[in-house]
Amino acid sequence: MTEQLSNPETQKQEIIEQEQTERTKESRMYVPRVDIYESDEAIHILADIPGADENSIDITLEKNVLTIEAEVQAEKPQDYSLMYAEYGIGGFRRKFNLSNEIDQEKIVAEVKDGVLKLVLPKSEKVTQKISVKAAKE
Amino acid sequence: MIYRRKSSPSLWEEMDKLQRDMNRMFDSTLMNRLSDRPLNSHDFPAMNVWTKADAGQVITAEIPGMNVDDLDIKVVGETLTISGSRQAPVDDENIRYHRQERGYGSFTRTIQLPFPIDVDKVEANYEKGVLKIWLPRAESDKPRKITVKAI
């Protein structure tokens, strides 16, 4: 799993591009807060992405890297202007490395009230274990 | 606490961000674990305040994953109180947590409005995890226009 959250604040954490690539759009991007838990059958990811809905979420899986990306349209109340801001509005992005034990074909995602829920079922193929013998001299 | 400003929004946002960063620097040593910490009831939810000349204000807050029945909005005089509780995540013996960054628990936040509001016309909606409250300014409080007569 990548991208550690460094500050445990109630404030959203803005993404600072550390790699060479930058986004072309000038909108802000934040790191969504997540809960990740594992049951016997699956790994569950819950991510807070307020302002995003099923049409603006993009989940991609490439070479074991799961990327959650959500666009958030800044919805201004019509004719009102922002007077005071405690939070910024922008999209969300976070990447996770998945292990091979996930059945990548059967990942299920749903969103409700700004919370994305991902269920990553564990694959039935059990990783082959190689027993190590003590070498005799 | 909500306070007003008149400067340009972008400049203010930058100042605000700087202030938050400073707070973060000093706070991080004291509470560097999110997992055991329920939502901080003092600064949650974060709010944005929108205004329109004499019409009133709109307050938005990001509170994802709420049950609408658990949200409580009260207006007394010029004071607005938002309280509620976000349900604790699944608690099952058969699961193991890898990460727990999302807060849960109850919160209350009270803000002082800059003008009396028309309590009967307050409206609130909750969509995509964002709470929006319309606070129309009371008719009696609106500035009256005085026409100048030419003599």
Side-chain angles (χ1 to χ4, degrees):
Chain A
M1 309 269 170
T2 55
E3 289 189 9
Q4 289 275 350
L5 270 192
S6 56
N7 67 86
E9 274 270 305
T10 48
Q11 293 290 351
K12 292 200 280 191
Q13 190 191 1
E14 196 169 346
I15 294 177
I16 298 138
E17 300 290 353
Q18 285 166 335
E19 295 152 24
Q20 289 295 307
T21 51
E22 278 183 55
R23 282 160 49 85
T24 50
K25 275 198 216 165
E26 214 201 351
S27 63
R28 294 175 185 217
M29 291 298 277
Y30 295 92
V31 183
R33 281 165 196 289
V34 297
D35 282 353
I36 300 174
Y37 57 89
E38 185 178 347
S39 63
D40 291 340
E41 306 84 40
I43 288 174
H44 303 252
I45 300 177
L46 293 175
D48 279 349
I49 45 166
D53 61 17
E54 66 274 16
N55 302 317
S56 63
I57 300 169
D58 209 12
I59 300 167
T60 50
L61 184 62
E62 198 189 349
K63 289 176 189 161
N64 284 354
V65 177
L66 177 82
T67 307
I68 300 169
E69 204 163 348
E71 283 292 325
V72 173
Q73 291 297 325
E75 283 179 38
K76 281 186 178 180
Q78 215 183 352
D79 299 333
Y80 283 76
S81 56
L82 187 61
M83 182 177 73
Y84 171 72
E86 286 178 340
Y87 67 87
I89 300 168
F92 294 94
R93 186 175 65 227
R94 200 159 174 184
K95 292 181 181 183
F96 297 100
N97 282 326
L98 297 185
S99 68
N100 286 325
E101 65 169 332
I102 301 293
D103 190 342
Q104 303 191 342
E105 301 292 311
K106 290 184 184 158
I107 296 175
V108 181
E110 55 184 53
V111 65
K112 188 178 181 261
D113 293 335
V115 179
L116 174 71
K117 189 176 181 181
L118 275 168
V119 181
L120 316 165
K122 290 183 188 171
S123 117
E124 282 166 19
K125 285 177 275 171
V126 181
T127 327
Q128 219 177 344
K129 263 201 169 176
I130 297 157
S131 53
V132 181
K133 286 180 208 160
K136 284 171 193 164
E137 290 190 24
Chain B
M1 186 67 191
I2 300 290
Y3 47 95
R4 287 190 277 178
R5 62 171 174 83
K6 290 215 164 62
S7 58
S8 80
S10 58
L11 179 69
W12 190 262
E13 271 175 33
E14 285 309 309
M15 291 286 285
D16 211 39
K17 193 169 173 295
L18 190 69
Q19 190 185 4
R20 285 205 303 267
D21 288 346
M22 291 296 281
N23 288 344
R24 216 174 267 158
M25 271 166 61
F26 291 109
D27 281 356
S28 56
T29 48
L30 294 170
M31 31 182 203
N32 50 12
R33 289 195 64 199
L34 184 81
S35 54
D36 298 333
R37 203 168 62 97
L39 294 174
N40 187 336
S41 55
H42 292 293
D43 53 15
F44 186 90
M47 289 174 177
N48 281 0
V49 181
W50 308 77
T51 192
K52 183 171 127 186
D54 298 330
Q57 286 190 340
V58 174
I59 288 178
T60 56
E62 290 184 336
I63 327 176
M66 282 290 298
N67 194 336
V68 186
D69 298 332
D70 294 337
L71 261 177
D72 197 23
I73 301 163
K74 276 190 198 130
V75 187
V76 179
E78 293 172 33
T79 315
L80 172 78
T81 305
I82 300 174
S83 56
S85 76
R86 192 155 94 150
Q87 280 168 0
V90 206
D91 195 16
D92 188 333
E93 282 180 9
N94 297 322
I95 63 165
R96 275 187 304 132
Y97 266 94
H98 292 205
R99 279 164 193 246
Q100 202 169 346
E101 296 164 357
R102 300 168 66 239
Y104 61 90
S106 55
F107 58 86
T108 300
R109 188 155 181 198
T110 304
I111 57 164
Q112 180 75 40
L113 302 168
F115 45 75
I117 59 167
D118 193 340
V119 183
D120 295 332
K121 286 186 186 156
V122 174
E123 274 180 53
N125 74 15
Y126 181 68
E127 194 189 2
K128 295 188 266 185
V130 181
L131 176 71
K132 207 182 265 184
I133 310 168
W134 275 268
L135 301 158
R137 190 167 176 172
E139 208 61 47
S140 58
D141 190 60
K142 284 186 184 172
R144 242 166 298 161
K145 201 175 180 181
I146 295 152
T147 40
V148 182
K149 279 183 221 159
I151 300 172

